[in-house]
């Protein structure tokens, strides 16, 4: 699904060049559950932006579902983002004066679906995340965990091949974090590829593969029985 070859990303800072990613090779198969970890400055946020087609590399190749997205223009990248990738952010990024249902349906407007199709599909995914009784509520009428469930439903609504989650439990307490991570587990079991960016070991432990970055390079890539196990709430 994802093939990254010798990806580099440099940024100009005044007269200097900052080398953030220094040659990343990475393959992620369809249906994997991957966590990206690393300290501040390791390059994990830059790599996430590239994986999510929010940015393009300075050099190297990024093949997503058979398409070379590393050379695409902004309009093409926007189309890929809307069809292939569902985003979940730490800060939820919901429209404040809009119902949960309309927040979830929003990506479908850009994809060209009719109003009835949008309502039907948004209702379906809100039910999937156990919010069928909160569809007409606005974000300020919902708890933090419920808001993140709305954000997850919005990420799922266009049936993307990849769910990309950036610190999805960063604003949640530990009990709610576990509920949200269990939901990601269900989403993964339903066939989605899940890529999680986190700095928390207990959150990364829910993934089946943990990739650690340091100084713009992959430091380790651990999968299967060697991966840490998630903490359980008691």
């Amino acid at each position: 699904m994802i093939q990254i070859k010798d990806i580099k990303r440099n940024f100009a800072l005044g007269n200097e060049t900052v080398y953030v990613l220094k040659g990343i090779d990475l393959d992620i198969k369809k249906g994997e559950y991957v966590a990206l970890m690393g300290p501040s400055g390791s390059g994990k946020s830059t790599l996430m932006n590239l994986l999510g087609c929010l940015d393009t590399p300075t050099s190297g190749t990024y093949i997503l579902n058979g398409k070379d997205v590393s050379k695409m223009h902004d309009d093409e990248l926007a189309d890929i983002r809307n069809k292939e990738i569902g985003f979940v952010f730490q800060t939820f990024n919901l429209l404040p004066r809009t119902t949960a249902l309309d927040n979830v349906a929003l990506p479908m407007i850009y994809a060209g679906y009719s109003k009835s199709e949008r309502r039907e599909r948004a209702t379906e995914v809100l039910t999937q995340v156990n919010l069928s009784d909160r569809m007409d509520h606005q974000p300020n009428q919902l708890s933090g965990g419920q808001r993140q469930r709305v954000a997850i439903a919005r990420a799922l609504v266009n049936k993307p091949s990849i769910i990309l989650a950036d610190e999805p439990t960063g604003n949640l307490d530990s009990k709610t974090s576990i509920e949200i991570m269990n939901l990601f587990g269900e989403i993964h079991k339903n066939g989605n590829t899940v890529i999680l960016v986190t700095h928390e070991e207990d959150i990364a432990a829910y993934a089946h593969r943990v990739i650690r970055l340091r100084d713009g390079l992959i430091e380790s890539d651990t999968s299967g029985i060697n991966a840490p196990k998630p903490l359980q709430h008691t």
Side-chain angles (χ1 to χ4, degrees):
M1 174 172 282
I2 286 174
Q3 293 175 295
I4 282 180
K5 186 70 177 170
D6 198 27
I7 284 284
K8 296 177 181 176
R9 186 65 175 101
N10 311 334
F11 295 94
L13 197 64
N15 295 324
E16 293 185 22
T17 301
V18 180
Y19 300 92
V20 179
L21 296 179
K22 302 172 183 175
I24 299 282
D25 292 327
L26 178 63
D27 288 347
I28 296 175
K29 296 183 178 68
K30 180 177 169 57
E32 280 202 90
Y33 190 167
V34 180
L36 292 176
M37 296 196 77
S40 294
S42 63
K44 69 178 186 297
S45 295
T46 301
L47 180 57
M48 188 207 74
N49 287 339
L50 291 171
L51 289 171
C53 298
L54 296 166
D55 191 15
T56 51
T58 304
S59 63
T61 309
Y62 175 16
I63 308 294
L64 173 60
N65 286 329
K67 297 173 186 170
D68 186 352
V69 298
S70 47
K71 308 289 190 295
M72 285 186 178
H73 299 297
D74 289 350
D75 288 349
E76 295 172 299
L77 288 172
D79 191 50
I80 290 282
R81 282 197 301 272
N82 202 39
K83 290 178 180 173
E84 300 280 3
I85 303 163
F87 293 94
V88 181
F89 299 98
Q90 176 179 347
T91 52
F92 318 134
N93 288 11
L94 301 175
L95 298 176
R97 294 179 183 83
T98 306
T99 65
L101 188 73
D102 287 338
N103 263 291
V104 170
L106 190 62
M108 296 186 76
I109 295 174
Y110 303 119
Y113 289 94
S114 69
K115 189 172 183 179
S116 61
E117 287 173 321
R118 297 197 302 265
R119 188 172 185 85
E120 182 181 347
R121 176 64 182 155
T123 299
E124 184 184 325
V125 287
L126 279 166
T127 302
Q128 185 181 338
V129 300
N130 299 320
L131 281 180
S132 57
D133 59 340
R134 294 286 189 274
M135 288 193 283
D136 294 325
H137 288 56
Q138 294 181 359
N140 64 359
Q141 298 170 308
L142 301 171
S143 68
Q146 288 170 335
R147 276 180 246 172
Q148 192 59 295
R149 284 174 184 270
V150 173
I152 291 168
R154 181 185 57 194
L156 290 169
V157 76
N158 274 344
K159 300 182 180 177
S161 53
I162 298 167
I163 297 294
L164 193 56
D166 184 15
E167 302 281 3
T169 61
N171 284 340
L172 305 174
D173 61 48
S174 58
K175 179 177 182 296
T176 309
S177 294
I178 287 166
E179 291 170 0
I180 292 297
M181 293 314 300
N182 287 337
L183 179 56
F184 276 114
E186 291 169 24
I187 290 165
H188 174 250
K189 284 178 189 171
N190 288 337
N192 276 101
T193 304
V194 178
I195 303 174
L196 179 74
V197 178
T198 183
H199 67 278
E200 298 178 71
E201 293 285 349
D202 56 330
I203 296 301
Y206 284 85
H208 301 166
R209 179 181 174 192
V210 180
I211 298 167
R212 297 175 192 274
L213 276 76
R214 184 175 294 276
D215 298 329
L217 294 166
I218 292 176
E219 182 181 52
S220 65
D221 187 343
T222 310
S223 60
I225 57 171
N226 296 318
K229 297 295 179 277
L231 300 180
Q232 297 300 320
H233 184 74
T234 54

